[in-house]
Amino acid sequence: MRPGAPHRTTDRTRPARPRPVLGTAPTASRRGLRLLMDAGPWLAVPPEGYGGLENVVATLTTELRRRGHHVVLGTVGESTLPTDGRVSAFASGQFPALAAPYADAAGIGATHALAVADEVRRQAAAGTPFDLVHTHLQVLGPAVLAALGPAAPPVLHTLHWDLHRNAEFYAAFDGRDRVFFAGVSDSQVARGPAALRRQTLGTVPLAVPIPAGPPLPRDERAGHVLVLGRLCALKGADTAVRACLAAGLPLVLAGPVGPFRDQASLDAALADPDHPGRDHPDVRWFAEHVAPSVDGDRVRWVGTVSGAAKDDLLRRARALLTPVRWPEPGGTAVCEALAAGTPVVATAMGCLPSLVDDGVTGFVAADEAAFTAALARLDELDPAACAAAARRRFAPAVMADGYERLYAELLRRTSVAPPRRPGRAVPAHRG
């Protein structure tokens, strides 16, 4: 399949379902929302290893379908998540292309966004319009859908990033009463421009699958602590290295360096003078600030991990370290760690103070000295308390409840009465 040619597996045999009648209350017989969930073209859903946004989409989509909603996924062809249909512009994830020069990568997001818009128009013409589109594609998702004007279905765009990125866009964007926003934390939205805040319906914290069994007790865990996620300057892996060397704790680094998933692929690129990934800023930073300390013993880089390997690393670690240097908007890895009963040591940036209950589920540090000192106090933290907090705050059902409230508010603002599925009303927005 050539790039840019939409690949659709949407259900074309589904009989036409009329739009809800404006101004009428939803009936008890209506089954649920028909929505397009757009994850973008960068990684498969669920991803293999790194991919916080895609993990969130996988978790939310699964829970919404369990509740009776019909979900078509905008993604890449290699995604494996069960859905009610799929629209793709690319057969595989395009994340490695982000290491290419801008002129070579600029059209990827736009190609995907246009395929999603085409599917929206196609479904409307077939008499099976989407009740709403929930897009997670940065900038291009809301921009392209807003350009459809009155023909656009109601659109909710989840913000997964620090809003200083592309601030000019969000400051100028007008959703024309069709496109609205959701944040992943209150601290994230508070940093956004006024125009964005006016069009934001609320915030829904991230969620992760909750393990069925109890967490591993502290005395049965391995000795290492863990950094999980992209290894780059903003994530602060070098701070974790220095802190662990000072505290005498072995450190495992799990995540990609730029477009490279492991040591072998990075070494191959560095051996090729023409490889574009050599000049990736994350690669240059890692080579200068982290690689000299990676000795395979006190500091190990295990590359990107996924599935059972990631679950095992999290479950056995003494703690997850998140020494970020940026206002973290969502903190997926923090939620994953706490769900595994693994406490978190974090810097006091962005949403992290709201996710970590200082002294109970981890420690929140004001600076590197406090971060290092916290590593000596890990035995004060109870894995069972961490797991209980995650079940209460970060379970998939909690996130789905939040988005159902925002969907209802979105449809109210766009003058469409929200459908209900049997036995359970879509709750009204209270925020």
Side-chain angles (χ1 to χ4, degrees), residues 237-319:
D238 57 324
T239 297
V241 168
R242 289 191 296 270
C244 288
L245 291 175
L249 283 176
L251 172 64
V252 174
L253 304 171
V257 175
F260 304 111
R261 295 172 55 87
D262 52 35
Q263 187 72 61
S265 60
L266 176 60
D267 288 345
L270 295 178
D272 179 359
D274 296 323
H275 196 293
R278 291 168 56 96
D279 294 325
H280 193 287
D282 291 357
V283 172
R284 296 196 303 268
W285 176 85
F286 181 82
E288 180 177 355
H289 296 282
V290 177
S293 299
V294 176
D295 60 4
D297 180 21
R298 295 178 302 170
V299 180
R300 291 187 293 137
W301 177 37
V302 298
T304 300
V305 292
S306 61
K310 184 174 87 167
D311 293 343
D312 187 60
L313 267 180
L314 277 169
R315 186 167 184 264
R316 294 172 58 244
R318 291 186 64 190

Side-chain angles (χ1 to χ4, degrees), residues 59-386:
T59 300
L60 178 58
T61 296
T62 299
E63 179 64 18
L64 291 175
R65 294 184 72 239
R66 190 188 69 79
R67 296 177 177 214
H69 300 294
H70 180 101
V71 185
V72 172
L73 183 64
T75 182
V76 292
E78 64 184 353
S79 292
T80 59
L81 186 75
T83 64
D84 298 299
R86 187 179 299 166
V87 56
S88 304
F90 298 93
S92 60
Q94 298 299 297
F95 183 76
L98 294 176
Y102 173 79
D104 295 334
I108 293 173
T111 300
H112 175 89
L114 289 172
V116 167
D118 179 64
E119 184 67 9
V120 167
R121 288 190 294 261
R122 193 184 72 82
Q123 292 288 342
T128 55
F130 293 110
D131 294 305
L132 63 92
V133 175
H134 186 172
T135 180
H136 302 259
L137 178 61
Q138 185 181 17
V139 174
L140 286 166
V144 170
L145 291 164
L148 295 177
V155 175
L156 184 69
H157 173 50
T158 292
L159 304 157
H160 288 272
W161 307 272
D162 174 15
L163 296 178
H164 289 156
R165 180 190 292 182
N166 299 304
E168 297 85 356
F169 171 80
Y170 291 114
F173 179 81
D174 179 2
R176 297 175 175 85
D177 296 323
R178 303 298 293 169
V179 181
F180 292 88
F181 296 93
V184 294
S185 66
D186 291 341
S187 64
Q188 175 202 37
V189 174
R191 292 189 299 274
L196 175 68
R197 296 198 303 272
R198 286 194 298 270
Q199 298 174 89
T200 297
L201 302 184
T203 61
V204 180
L206 303 179
V208 295
I210 303 295
L216 200 65
R218 187 171 55 236
D219 59 2
E220 296 182 20
R221 291 179 176 244
H224 69 266
V225 293
L226 177 66
V227 167
L228 180 64
R230 189 162 59 96
L231 302 180
C232 62
L234 289 178
K235 299 282 189 177
D238 57 324
T239 297
V241 168
R242 289 191 296 270
C244 288
L245 291 175
L249 283 176
L251 172 64
V252 174
L253 304 171
V257 175
F260 304 111
R261 295 172 55 87
D262 52 35
Q263 187 72 61
S265 60
L266 176 60
D267 288 345
L270 295 178
D272 179 359
D274 296 323
H275 196 293
R278 291 168 56 96
D279 294 325
H280 193 287
D282 291 357
V283 172
R284 296 196 303 268
W285 176 85
F286 181 82
E288 180 177 355
H289 296 282
V290 177
S293 299
V294 176
D295 60 4
D297 180 21
R298 295 178 302 170
V299 180
R300 291 187 293 137
W301 177 37
V302 298
T304 300
V305 292
S306 61
K310 184 174 87 167
D311 293 343
D312 187 60
L313 267 180
L314 277 169
R315 186 167 184 264
R316 294 172 58 244
R318 291 186 64 190
L320 176 78
L321 310 187
T322 56
V324 300
R325 296 188 176 98
W326 71 312
E328 175 69 55
T332 308
V334 171
C335 302
E336 290 177 327
L338 295 178
T342 301
V344 176
V345 180
T347 46
M349 297 287 289
C351 71
L352 296 180
S354 71
L355 299 182
V356 179
D357 186 358
D358 191 58
V360 178
T361 62
F363 298 108
V364 180
D367 54 32
E368 187 169 327
F371 193 95
T372 303
L375 299 183
R377 301 177 58 195
L378 295 179
D379 287 346
E380 299 175 19
L381 305 170
D382 181 9
C386 297

